[in-house]
Amino acid sequence: MPATIIETNSAPFAPVKIDPVTLDIVENALRNARVEMDATLVRTAMSPGIREQGDSFPLIADRAGRMIVGQFGSFIGGFLDGYAGTVEDGDMFFLSDPYSVEGAISHSNDWLVLLPVYKTGRMIGWTAMFGHQSDIGGKVAGSMPIDAHSIFEEGVRIPPVKIWRKGVYNEDLITLVMHQTRKPDWCRADLNALIASCRVAARRVLELSDRFGDDLYVAATEELLARNHRAMKALIASSIGEEPVSFEDYICDDGMGFGPYRIKCTMRRVGDKVVLDFAGTDPQSDASINFYLNENMFKMFFGIYMIMVFDPAILFNDGFYDLIEVRIPEGSLLKPKFPAALSGRTHALGRIFDILGGLLGQRTPEFLNAAGFSSSPHLFYSGVDANGDWFQLFQIGFGGIPGRPMGDGPDGHSLWPGFTNVPNEFLERYFPLLIDRYETEADSGGPGLHRGGNGIRMTYRFLEPGVVAIHDDRWFVPPWGVNGGLPGARARKILERADGTQTIVGNKLEDLRVGAGDRLHFITWGGGGWGDPLLRDPALVEKEVREGLVTTAGARAYGVVIGDAPATEALRAEMRAARPAEQPLFDRGPDIETLRATCLAETGLPAPRAPVWRPERAAA
């Protein structure tokens, strides 16, 4: 049963014709309000994941819950469909359970606050913010066990509840929730920061309504959505063909020894609409790599990718959703059945963007990106320090961004544009560790006319005994290159004990015990290359060798012999003669069975075993 919106003023909003200048003023004021939400959050939150890295997502929506400004698309529709209570002036909602909002938030660590904005008895909009909590209880520190078999192992699940009811704060509820976490001080501060951000944005909405009038403000939000609809309709007609195209990619493993897991999507245009069908995606995993992909969230991902590739001048919002149809098989990796575990969903989330790139570029290879939006590497380190105090680190790492039509992929950059790195000084000040190395990993970016971004080598030296967990991907299936570009290098993790002995460890693991003086070399994947590497300027390759981005040996992948122009010309001629005349659109490297056969020799880790499905999941 959907939510019931209570309004004490039933007067309809009058239609208003808006001139373009006023519309731009309203839009930019809302965009500034979104920036102010972020600033409020950063100044108020305590956890490094939100305060230092920006793992939070703001939203300002119209009265129907459709995003006007934001990043992830609106999660309000899923909330309204799943919440059986009332929505009234003075209410504020709090939730974290993905299954209660149709996957609009994708794991329980993301705490979501929703604030309906009322004026003179009528709802005129919504503000919302969610942020990743560093700990919500559960069986491991950080609350993201890669080996979880159900969501019940992943910490407290909060269904949609009223944190404020008609202006009255529910203190007992918050006391109960904070009792479940290992870091109640961080979580309480972060929750207060989410609330403050929503209230700041609500004030700005009311100020705009006061300035221009309620009718004009509501009409402006509707026109902003309609304008986006018109732009996307034209973009879809010019960029998406009626002939279906398919693309598939893989999650390397599930942390339990099985993999890879296939994600497949087929795209075609039917009239004015785009149909995106995930038939052929593998059934859900028994581990936690499942990603409950909300259809509206994927529509926003698709729209963002379309806009950024084909027409970055378009400002995206939720106005185009009726132009896209998304089909996701029930019981699949992207729509698991309750109570499937979800805490490791970040790998599939990143892989979705690689798949979008592979789909959208097939018809227009000149706009095609290589692979590199591959994962969101996580490190967890926890224990008790010399003073007897509990410490707990959750850090998001970065890999290489793919080579692109307009140039090289950035080295060691974030998947999400708003994310930033935790400063090493911060880590060393607040946690018992030292950062011995923080640098790009030479040669990890795929060679190409435009090089894929290099991954990062970050070496942690632990000063206290503790427990480490690692969540990363792209260690088995490499990031593919395009238009003749080569794949990027795969991720690696090396544990170096205090006595100097080294062990290659998995890229998804829990409960790795470390001692004082041990070091972890955390090496992420590089982005795939774009275009023929033999066309790259040799002077640029030599410059990158001097800068440590490419090695002398790695330069030979571009046909470059450092300091010897005649030898470079000869090597390039030899390499051209030895390869097929036509370069592949996609270069994935070896096939899956070859990767299995060579896995131990190339990575130091045993190959994952092919997943075995339960009969009911295989049928799904």
Side-chain angles (χ1 to χ4, degrees):
M1 181 178 178
T4 302
I5 308 294
I6 304 296
E7 296 179 294
T8 58
N9 180 354
S10 60
F13 291 95
V16 177
K17 187 174 181 179
I18 308 170
D19 64 90
V21 173
T22 301
L23 187 65
D24 279 353
I25 291 172
V26 172
E27 179 179 50
N28 282 284
L30 291 174
R31 293 173 69 192
N32 288 336
R34 178 215 158 157
V35 172
E36 193 174 1
M37 294 177 77
D38 287 330
T40 301
L41 193 74
V42 167
R43 293 170 181 168
T44 314
M46 283 185 64
S47 68
I50 293 180
R51 187 174 75 177
E52 300 296 328
Q53 299 215 261
D55 192 355
S56 55
F57 298 87
L59 168 72
I60 301 175
D62 76 339
R63 57 185 268 105
R66 297 172 296 180
M67 186 187 84
I68 305 300
V69 294
Q71 183 173 338
F72 236 35
S74 181
F75 14 78
I76 298 172
F79 159 73
L80 292 173
D81 290 341
Y83 180 64
T86 60
V87 178
E88 303 182 61
D89 193 4
D91 289 349
M92 181 183 286
F93 298 88
F94 175 38
L95 61 105
S96 72
D97 176 27
Y99 289 104
S100 67
V101 286
E102 302 173 354
I105 51 174
S106 55
H107 68 162
S108 300
N109 286 75
D110 288 335
W111 283 5
L112 170 62
V113 170
L114 300 165
L115 175 61
V117 183
Y118 281 81
K119 187 178 180 193
T120 61
R122 295 186 295 182
M123 184 185 292
I124 61 170
W126 291 81
T127 66
M129 176 76 87
F130 78 80
H132 179 100
Q133 301 302 309
S134 294
D135 192 277
I136 57 167
K139 72 176 191 173
V140 299
S143 313
M144 296 173 63
I146 200 68
D147 58 353
H149 296 296
S150 82
I151 198 169
F152 296 112
E153 300 174 73
E154 298 174 345
V156 60
R157 295 167 48 236
I158 306 165
V161 292
K162 292 186 179 182
I163 190 172
W164 291 80
R165 182 186 297 272
K166 296 183 180 179
V168 178
Y169 186 59
N170 190 343
E171 181 65 43
D172 287 345
L173 168 66
I174 302 309
T175 300
L176 175 64
V177 170
M178 298 305 163
H179 195 65
Q180 314 307 311
T181 170
R182 297 171 179 86
K183 296 294 295 180
D185 51 344
W186 285 5
C187 287
R188 186 178 287 271
D190 290 355
L191 178 58
N192 287 337
L194 298 173
I195 292 170
S197 298
C198 290
R199 292 207 182 280
V200 164
R203 284 200 298 271
R204 301 297 174 254
V205 167
L206 293 172
E207 289 167 359
L208 277 172
S209 183
D210 286 339
R211 177 181 177 184
F212 293 104
D214 299 355
D215 293 334
L216 187 144
Y217 175 78
V218 170
T221 60
E222 293 174 350
E223 175 56 24
L224 289 170
L225 292 162
R227 186 177 69 180
N228 183 268
H229 186 279
R230 294 191 295 270
M232 283 294 294
K233 184 176 180 180
L235 191 58
I236 287 169
S238 64
S239 304
I240 308 297
E242 294 181 340
E243 287 295 317
V245 294
S246 296
F247 197 76
E248 62 185 44
D249 208 338
Y250 297 86
I251 308 300
C252 292
D253 72 317
D254 58 8
M256 305 292 289
F258 294 96
Y261 290 78
R262 181 173 64 171
I263 299 175
K264 181 179 180 180
C265 188
T266 300
M267 176 181 71
R268 70 181 186 277
R269 178 167 55 84
V270 179
D272 293 332
K273 296 179 65 173
V274 177
V275 178
L276 295 144
D277 191 342
F278 284 93
T281 296
D282 279 343
Q284 70 189 66
S285 169
D286 283 333
S288 70
I289 60 167
N290 303 296
F291 176 31
Y292 192 158
L293 179 58
N294 176 267
E295 281 85 353
N296 281 344
M297 182 187 293
F298 183 68
K299 291 176 182 180
M300 177 53 65
F301 291 168
F302 177 83
I304 292 172
Y305 210 101
M306 282 277 292
I307 289 167
M308 293 304 156
V309 169
F310 295 112
D311 192 350
I314 298 174
L315 298 172
F316 57 85
N317 59 38
D318 282 2
F320 63 88
Y321 280 6
D322 66 331
L323 296 172
I324 302 174
E325 180 182 343
V326 180
R327 302 171 183 172
I328 307 175
E330 190 80 20
S332 70
L333 194 74
L334 300 181
K335 187 172 279 189
K337 297 178 181 178
F338 178 83
L342 304 173
S343 58
R345 95 289 184 231
T346 184
H347 315 296
L349 173 58
R351 204 55 41 82
I352 288 295
F353 284 92
D354 281 346
I355 288 171
L356 281 173
L359 283 171
L360 292 170
Q362 291 183 50
R363 186 166 178 253
T364 52
E366 65 273 18
F367 290 111
L368 182 61
N369 285 333
F373 297 108
S374 296
S375 185
S376 184
H378 295 350
L379 173 77
F380 304 82
Y381 170 46
S382 60
V384 177
D385 64 20
N387 297 320
D389 296 325
W390 174 258
F391 65 86
Q392 182 174 321
L393 171 64
F394 159 66
Q395 184 181 12
I396 301 171
F398 306 138
I401 298 299
R404 302 165 295 166
M406 71 290 293
D408 296 345
D411 301 310
H413 203 278
S414 169
L415 162 67
W416 301 109
F419 279 17
T420 56
N421 183 52
V422 179
N424 292 343
E425 296 81 0
F426 180 94
L427 294 172
E428 294 178 344
R429 170 64 179 83
Y430 290 102
F431 301 96
L433 54 78
L434 295 174
I435 306 301
D436 286 350
R437 296 176 69 181
Y438 182 66
E439 59 195 24
T440 61
E441 181 73 357
D443 293 340
S444 57
L449 170 63
H450 299 153
R451 178 175 59 81
N454 281 336
I456 286 178
R457 175 185 288 259
M458 193 164 184
T459 298
Y460 300 85
R461 178 152 40 106
F462 305 111
L463 303 181
E464 298 284 356
V467 177
V468 164
I470 299 170
H471 295 188
D472 199 6
D473 206 66
R474 285 295 193 199
W475 70 271
F476 178 66
V477 179
W480 31 269
V482 297
N483 293 327
L486 303 181
R490 294 178 282 184
R492 294 175 291 142
K493 308 295 179 287
I494 303 168
L495 178 63
E496 182 181 348
R497 295 295 185 185
D499 63 7
T501 58
Q502 294 189 0
T503 305
I504 296 174
V505 297
N507 286 267
K508 295 185 187 71
L509 58 80
E510 296 288 345
D511 200 32
L512 176 64
R513 304 282 169 169
V514 296
D518 290 350
R519 302 200 302 171
L520 176 66
H521 303 276
F522 197 103
I523 305 162
T524 59
W525 29 266
W530 190 98
D532 185 353
L534 301 185
L535 297 177
R536 191 169 177 86
D537 184 356
L540 177 57
V541 176
E542 293 200 12
K543 179 175 182 287
E544 292 187 314
V545 170
R546 293 193 300 270
E547 293 175 343
L549 300 173
V550 176
T551 66
T552 300
R556 297 186 69 86
Y558 302 89
V560 173
V561 180
I562 301 301
D564 192 335
T568 293
E569 291 183 11
L571 177 59
R572 287 188 163 186
E574 179 185 340
M575 293 172 69
R576 287 192 182 99
R579 71 187 188 186
E582 186 173 345
Q583 296 298 293
L585 184 59
F586 298 97
D587 187 341
R588 296 177 177 269
D591 60 36
I592 296 297
E593 291 311 310
T594 302
L595 290 173
R596 288 194 200 279
T598 60
C599 185
L600 185 60
E602 293 181 351
T603 71
L605 298 170
R609 293 165 286 166
V612 178
W613 314 116
R614 298 181 188 177
E616 67 271 18
R617 292 184 185 169

PDB file of all heavy atoms in Angstrom, residues 524-539:
ATOM      1  N   THR A 524      45.606  -1.308  -7.158  1.00  0.00           N
ATOM      2  CA  THR A 524      44.335  -1.356  -7.872  1.00  0.00           C
ATOM      3  C   THR A 524      44.558  -1.484  -9.364  1.00  0.00           C
ATOM      4  O   THR A 524      45.668  -1.314  -9.879  1.00  0.00           O
ATOM      5  CB  THR A 524      43.490  -0.110  -7.557  1.00  0.00           C
ATOM      6  OG1 THR A 524      44.213   1.074  -7.938  1.00  0.00           O
ATOM      7  CG2 THR A 524      43.184  -0.034  -6.069  1.00  0.00           C
ATOM      8  N   TRP A 525      43.483  -1.773 -10.101  1.00  0.00           N
ATOM      9  CA  TRP A 525      43.493  -2.022 -11.532  1.00  0.00           C
ATOM     10  C   TRP A 525      43.663  -0.720 -12.310  1.00  0.00           C
ATOM     11  O   TRP A 525      43.347   0.380 -11.843  1.00  0.00           O
ATOM     12  CB  TRP A 525      42.167  -2.671 -11.952  1.00  0.00           C
ATOM     13  CG  TRP A 525      41.048  -2.256 -11.049  1.00  0.00           C
ATOM     14  CD1 TRP A 525      40.608  -2.927  -9.959  1.00  0.00           C
ATOM     15  CD2 TRP A 525      40.301  -1.029 -11.084  1.00  0.00           C
ATOM     16  NE1 TRP A 525      39.622  -2.217  -9.315  1.00  0.00           N
ATOM     17  CE2 TRP A 525      39.420  -1.044  -9.983  1.00  0.00           C
ATOM     18  CE3 TRP A 525      40.289   0.080 -11.923  1.00  0.00           C
ATOM     19  CZ2 TRP A 525      38.525  -0.017  -9.710  1.00  0.00           C
ATOM     20  CZ3 TRP A 525      39.403   1.113 -11.650  1.00  0.00           C
ATOM     21  CH2 TRP A 525      38.538   1.059 -10.563  1.00  0.00           C
ATOM     22  N   GLY A 526      44.128  -0.857 -13.541  1.00  0.00           N
ATOM     23  CA  GLY A 526      44.210   0.288 -14.444  1.00  0.00           C
ATOM     24  C   GLY A 526      43.058   0.290 -15.428  1.00  0.00           C
ATOM     25  O   GLY A 526      42.385  -0.721 -15.643  1.00  0.00           O
ATOM     26  N   GLY A 527      42.806   1.440 -16.032  1.00  0.00           N
ATOM     27  CA  GLY A 527      41.768   1.539 -17.055  1.00  0.00           C
ATOM     28  C   GLY A 527      42.249   0.991 -18.385  1.00  0.00           C
ATOM     29  O   GLY A 527      43.448   0.970 -18.687  1.00  0.00           O
ATOM     30  N   GLY A 528      41.308   0.524 -19.198  1.00  0.00           N
ATOM     31  CA  GLY A 528      41.655   0.044 -20.528  1.00  0.00           C
ATOM     32  C   GLY A 528      42.083   1.186 -21.445  1.00  0.00           C
ATOM     33  O   GLY A 528      41.736   2.348 -21.237  1.00  0.00           O
ATOM     34  N   GLY A 529      42.856   0.844 -22.487  1.00  0.00           N
ATOM     35  CA  GLY A 529      43.337   1.846 -23.433  1.00  0.00           C
ATOM     36  C   GLY A 529      42.341   2.100 -24.552  1.00  0.00           C
ATOM     37  O   GLY A 529      41.493   1.264 -24.864  1.00  0.00           O
ATOM     38  N   TRP A 530      42.456   3.284 -25.177  1.00  0.00           N
ATOM     39  CA  TRP A 530      41.573   3.688 -26.268  1.00  0.00           C
ATOM     40  C   TRP A 530      42.427   3.962 -27.507  1.00  0.00           C
ATOM     41  O   TRP A 530      43.332   4.806 -27.468  1.00  0.00           O
ATOM     42  CB  TRP A 530      40.823   4.954 -25.892  1.00  0.00           C
ATOM     43  CG  TRP A 530      39.704   5.343 -26.826  1.00  0.00           C
ATOM     44  CD1 TRP A 530      38.380   5.094 -26.677  1.00  0.00           C
ATOM     45  CD2 TRP A 530      39.819   6.068 -28.065  1.00  0.00           C
ATOM     46  NE1 TRP A 530      37.656   5.593 -27.727  1.00  0.00           N
ATOM     47  CE2 TRP A 530      38.529   6.200 -28.609  1.00  0.00           C
ATOM     48  CE3 TRP A 530      40.898   6.590 -28.786  1.00  0.00           C
ATOM     49  CZ2 TRP A 530      38.271   6.849 -29.816  1.00  0.00           C
ATOM     50  CZ3 TRP A 530      40.657   7.234 -30.003  1.00  0.00           C
ATOM     51  CH2 TRP A 530      39.347   7.366 -30.499  1.00  0.00           C
ATOM     52  N   GLY A 531      42.139   3.264 -28.586  1.00  0.00           N
ATOM     53  CA  GLY A 531      42.819   3.526 -29.852  1.00  0.00           C
ATOM     54  C   GLY A 531      44.149   2.803 -29.964  1.00  0.00           C
ATOM     55  O   GLY A 531      44.688   2.264 -28.996  1.00  0.00           O
ATOM     56  N   ASP A 532      44.672   2.805 -31.152  1.00  0.00           N
ATOM     57  CA  ASP A 532      45.891   2.080 -31.485  1.00  0.00           C
ATOM     58  C   ASP A 532      47.085   2.654 -30.718  1.00  0.00           C
ATOM     59  O   ASP A 532      47.451   3.821 -30.912  1.00  0.00           O
ATOM     60  CB  ASP A 532      46.133   2.196 -32.992  1.00  0.00           C
ATOM     61  CG  ASP A 532      47.315   1.368 -33.481  1.00  0.00           C
ATOM     62  OD1 ASP A 532      48.039   0.790 -32.638  1.00  0.00           O
ATOM     63  OD2 ASP A 532      47.512   1.317 -34.711  1.00  0.00           O
ATOM     64  N   PRO A 533      47.745   1.867 -29.869  1.00  0.00           N
ATOM     65  CA  PRO A 533      48.891   2.401 -29.119  1.00  0.00           C
ATOM     66  C   PRO A 533      50.070   2.772 -30.005  1.00  0.00           C
ATOM     67  O   PRO A 533      50.923   3.579 -29.622  1.00  0.00           O
ATOM     68  CB  PRO A 533      49.255   1.260 -28.160  1.00  0.00           C
ATOM     69  CG  PRO A 533      48.637   0.040 -28.721  1.00  0.00           C
ATOM     70  CD  PRO A 533      47.419   0.490 -29.465  1.00  0.00           C
ATOM     71  N   LEU A 534      50.127   2.203 -31.223  1.00  0.00           N
ATOM     72  CA  LEU A 534      51.231   2.534 -32.121  1.00  0.00           C
ATOM     73  C   LEU A 534      51.082   3.926 -32.734  1.00  0.00           C
ATOM     74  O   LEU A 534      51.990   4.412 -33.411  1.00  0.00           O
ATOM     75  CB  LEU A 534      51.350   1.483 -33.226  1.00  0.00           C
ATOM     76  CG  LEU A 534      51.593   0.051 -32.752  1.00  0.00           C
ATOM     77  CD1 LEU A 534      51.814  -0.878 -33.950  1.00  0.00           C
ATOM     78  CD2 LEU A 534      52.770  -0.026 -31.792  1.00  0.00           C
ATOM     79  N   LEU A 535      49.918   4.573 -32.481  1.00  0.00           N
ATOM     80  CA  LEU A 535      49.710   5.933 -32.964  1.00  0.00           C
ATOM     81  C   LEU A 535      50.019   6.979 -31.896  1.00  0.00           C
ATOM     82  O   LEU A 535      49.947   8.175 -32.170  1.00  0.00           O
ATOM     83  CB  LEU A 535      48.258   6.103 -33.442  1.00  0.00           C
ATOM     84  CG  LEU A 535      47.829   5.236 -34.631  1.00  0.00           C
ATOM     85  CD1 LEU A 535      46.354   5.470 -34.945  1.00  0.00           C
ATOM     86  CD2 LEU A 535      48.695   5.517 -35.850  1.00  0.00           C
ATOM     87  N   ARG A 536      50.363   6.529 -30.702  1.00  0.00           N
ATOM     88  CA  ARG A 536      50.655   7.486 -29.631  1.00  0.00           C
ATOM     89  C   ARG A 536      52.008   8.164 -29.905  1.00  0.00           C
ATOM     90  O   ARG A 536      52.970   7.493 -30.330  1.00  0.00           O
ATOM     91  CB  ARG A 536      50.671   6.779 -28.282  1.00  0.00           C
ATOM     92  CG  ARG A 536      50.712   7.729 -27.075  1.00  0.00           C
ATOM     93  CD  ARG A 536      50.457   6.942 -25.798  1.00  0.00           C
ATOM     94  NE  ARG A 536      50.534   7.738 -24.585  1.00  0.00           N
ATOM     95  CZ  ARG A 536      49.546   8.446 -24.055  1.00  0.00           C
ATOM     96  NH1 ARG A 536      48.368   8.458 -24.689  1.00  0.00           N
ATOM     97  NH2 ARG A 536      49.702   9.126 -22.942  1.00  0.00           N
ATOM     98  N   ASP A 537      52.058   9.430 -29.622  1.00  0.00           N
ATOM     99  CA  ASP A 537      53.266  10.221 -29.860  1.00  0.00           C
ATOM    100  C   ASP A 537      54.429   9.646 -29.049  1.00  0.00           C
ATOM    101  O   ASP A 537      54.366   9.592 -27.821  1.00  0.00           O
ATOM    102  CB  ASP A 537      52.996  11.669 -29.449  1.00  0.00           C
ATOM    103  CG  ASP A 537      54.168  12.596 -29.754  1.00  0.00           C
ATOM    104  OD1 ASP A 537      55.219  12.109 -30.206  1.00  0.00           O
ATOM    105  OD2 ASP A 537      54.017  13.813 -29.516  1.00  0.00           O
ATOM    106  N   PRO A 538      55.515   9.212 -29.699  1.00  0.00           N
ATOM    107  CA  PRO A 538      56.650   8.666 -28.947  1.00  0.00           C
ATOM    108  C   PRO A 538      57.221   9.651 -27.928  1.00  0.00           C
ATOM    109  O   PRO A 538      57.696   9.236 -26.865  1.00  0.00           O
ATOM    110  CB  PRO A 538      57.674   8.340 -30.047  1.00  0.00           C
ATOM    111  CG  PRO A 538      56.859   8.134 -31.275  1.00  0.00           C
ATOM    112  CD  PRO A 538      55.711   9.090 -31.166  1.00  0.00           C
ATOM    113  N   ALA A 539      57.183  10.935 -28.249  1.00  0.00           N
ATOM    114  CA  ALA A 539      57.703  11.927 -27.296  1.00  0.00           C
ATOM    115  C   ALA A 539      56.868  11.924 -26.014  1.00  0.00           C
ATOM    116  O   ALA A 539      57.412  12.104 -24.912  1.00  0.00           O
ATOM    117  CB  ALA A 539      57.706  13.317 -27.931  1.00  0.00           C
TER     118      ALA A 539
END
